[in-house]
Short mmCIF file of all heavy atoms in Angstrom, two decimals:
data_model
loop_
_atom_site.label_atom_id
_atom_site.label_comp_id
_atom_site.label_asym_id
_atom_site.label_seq_id
_atom_site.Cartn_x
_atom_site.Cartn_y
_atom_site.Cartn_z
N ILE A 235 -21.16 -21.28 -37.52
CA ILE A 235 -19.68 -21.10 -37.69
C ILE A 235 -19.39 -20.66 -39.11
O ILE A 235 -19.92 -21.14 -40.18
CB ILE A 235 -18.96 -22.46 -37.42
CG1 ILE A 235 -19.14 -22.80 -35.96
CG2 ILE A 235 -17.46 -22.32 -37.77
CD1 ILE A 235 -18.50 -24.17 -35.55
N ARG A 236 -18.56 -19.62 -39.22
CA ARG A 236 -18.27 -18.99 -40.46
C ARG A 236 -17.00 -18.13 -40.29
O ARG A 236 -16.49 -17.96 -39.14
CB ARG A 236 -19.38 -18.06 -41.05
CG ARG A 236 -19.61 -16.85 -40.18
CD ARG A 236 -20.83 -16.11 -40.42
NE ARG A 236 -20.91 -14.98 -39.53
CZ ARG A 236 -20.60 -13.74 -39.82
NH1 ARG A 236 -20.14 -13.45 -40.99
NH2 ARG A 236 -20.62 -12.82 -38.92
N GLN A 237 -16.41 -17.61 -41.39
CA GLN A 237 -15.29 -16.71 -41.21
C GLN A 237 -15.77 -15.34 -41.51
O GLN A 237 -16.64 -15.04 -42.37
CB GLN A 237 -14.13 -17.17 -42.20
CG GLN A 237 -13.42 -18.32 -41.56
CD GLN A 237 -12.18 -18.63 -42.32
OE1 GLN A 237 -12.28 -19.30 -43.39
NE2 GLN A 237 -10.96 -18.31 -41.84
N ALA A 238 -15.23 -14.32 -40.83
CA ALA A 238 -15.63 -12.97 -40.98
C ALA A 238 -14.50 -11.94 -40.69
O ALA A 238 -13.59 -12.35 -39.96
CB ALA A 238 -16.81 -12.67 -40.01
N GLY A 409 -10.00 -13.28 -41.39
CA GLY A 409 -10.43 -14.68 -41.47
C GLY A 409 -10.89 -15.22 -40.11
O GLY A 409 -10.69 -16.41 -39.80
N VAL A 410 -11.43 -14.39 -39.29
CA VAL A 410 -11.86 -14.83 -37.96
C VAL A 410 -12.90 -15.90 -38.02
O VAL A 410 -13.89 -15.68 -38.73
CB VAL A 410 -12.27 -13.65 -37.06
CG1 VAL A 410 -12.94 -14.16 -35.75
CG2 VAL A 410 -11.10 -12.75 -36.79
N VAL A 411 -12.66 -16.99 -37.30
CA VAL A 411 -13.71 -17.98 -37.24
C VAL A 411 -14.69 -17.64 -36.16
O VAL A 411 -14.23 -17.50 -34.98
CB VAL A 411 -13.10 -19.38 -36.98
CG1 VAL A 411 -14.23 -20.44 -36.77
CG2 VAL A 411 -12.21 -19.83 -38.11
N THR A 412 -15.96 -17.36 -36.47
CA THR A 412 -16.86 -16.92 -35.51
C THR A 412 -18.12 -17.85 -35.59
O THR A 412 -18.11 -18.82 -36.36
CB THR A 412 -17.25 -15.46 -35.73
OG1 THR A 412 -18.27 -15.14 -34.81
CG2 THR A 412 -17.77 -15.25 -37.14
N GLY A 413 -19.05 -17.54 -34.67
CA GLY A 413 -20.28 -18.40 -34.70
C GLY A 413 -20.14 -19.63 -33.82
O GLY A 413 -20.95 -20.61 -34.04
N VAL A 414 -19.14 -19.70 -32.99
CA VAL A 414 -18.98 -20.91 -32.17
C VAL A 414 -19.93 -20.80 -30.94
O VAL A 414 -19.90 -19.84 -30.23
CB VAL A 414 -17.46 -20.99 -31.66
CG1 VAL A 414 -17.29 -22.33 -30.88
CG2 VAL A 414 -16.54 -20.93 -32.87
N MET A 490 -7.66 -15.80 -33.58
CA MET A 490 -8.88 -16.59 -33.79
C MET A 490 -9.15 -16.93 -35.25
O MET A 490 -10.24 -17.26 -35.78
CB MET A 490 -10.13 -15.83 -33.27
CG MET A 490 -10.01 -15.71 -31.72
SD MET A 490 -11.36 -14.77 -31.01
CE MET A 490 -11.54 -15.53 -29.43
N SER A 491 -8.06 -16.79 -36.02
CA SER A 491 -8.10 -17.18 -37.48
C SER A 491 -7.26 -18.43 -37.57
O SER A 491 -6.34 -18.70 -36.86
CB SER A 491 -7.48 -16.12 -38.30
OG SER A 491 -8.15 -14.82 -38.03
N PRO A 492 -7.61 -19.34 -38.60
CA PRO A 492 -6.96 -20.59 -38.72
C PRO A 492 -5.45 -20.56 -38.79
O PRO A 492 -4.73 -21.36 -38.34
CB PRO A 492 -7.53 -21.17 -40.00
CG PRO A 492 -8.92 -20.52 -40.11
CD PRO A 492 -8.76 -19.19 -39.54
N ASN A 510 -8.92 -27.33 -39.84
CA ASN A 510 -8.91 -25.96 -40.31
C ASN A 510 -9.60 -25.04 -39.30
O ASN A 510 -10.52 -24.28 -39.64
CB ASN A 510 -9.60 -25.85 -41.67
CG ASN A 510 -9.37 -24.50 -42.30
OD1 ASN A 510 -8.34 -23.81 -42.04
ND2 ASN A 510 -10.35 -23.98 -43.05
N ILE A 511 -9.25 -25.19 -38.04
CA ILE A 511 -9.76 -24.30 -36.99
C ILE A 511 -8.63 -23.54 -36.31
O ILE A 511 -7.51 -24.08 -36.33
CB ILE A 511 -10.61 -25.05 -35.87
CG1 ILE A 511 -9.73 -26.11 -35.29
CG2 ILE A 511 -11.93 -25.58 -36.55
CD1 ILE A 511 -10.41 -26.72 -34.04
N PRO A 512 -8.90 -22.43 -35.72
CA PRO A 512 -7.90 -21.75 -34.90
C PRO A 512 -7.69 -22.41 -33.58
O PRO A 512 -8.65 -23.11 -33.09
CB PRO A 512 -8.41 -20.30 -34.78
CG PRO A 512 -9.87 -20.45 -34.93
CD PRO A 512 -10.12 -21.59 -35.82
N VAL A 514 -7.70 -20.86 -30.89
CA VAL A 514 -8.47 -20.04 -29.99
C VAL A 514 -9.94 -19.91 -30.51
O VAL A 514 -10.06 -19.36 -31.63
CB VAL A 514 -7.84 -18.67 -29.73
CG1 VAL A 514 -8.56 -17.89 -28.69
CG2 VAL A 514 -6.37 -18.81 -29.43
N LEU A 515 -10.87 -20.51 -29.82
CA LEU A 515 -12.26 -20.50 -30.33
C LEU A 515 -13.06 -19.29 -29.78
O LEU A 515 -13.07 -19.07 -28.59
CB LEU A 515 -12.96 -21.85 -30.03
CG LEU A 515 -12.19 -23.07 -30.54
CD1 LEU A 515 -12.95 -24.33 -30.10
CD2 LEU A 515 -12.08 -22.99 -32.09
N ASN A 516 -13.79 -18.73 -30.70
CA ASN A 516 -14.48 -17.48 -30.42
C ASN A 516 -15.92 -17.71 -30.14
O ASN A 516 -16.71 -17.89 -31.03
CB ASN A 516 -14.28 -16.55 -31.68
CG ASN A 516 -14.91 -15.18 -31.41
OD1 ASN A 516 -15.54 -14.95 -30.49
ND2 ASN A 516 -14.66 -14.32 -32.41
#
Side-chain angles (χ1 to χ4, degrees):
Chain A
I235 295 177
R236 64 191 180 99
Q237 283 187 283
V410 169
V411 175
T412 174
V414 185
M490 289 174 153
S491 307
N510 193 30
I511 56 166
V514 185
L515 300 182
N516 184 351

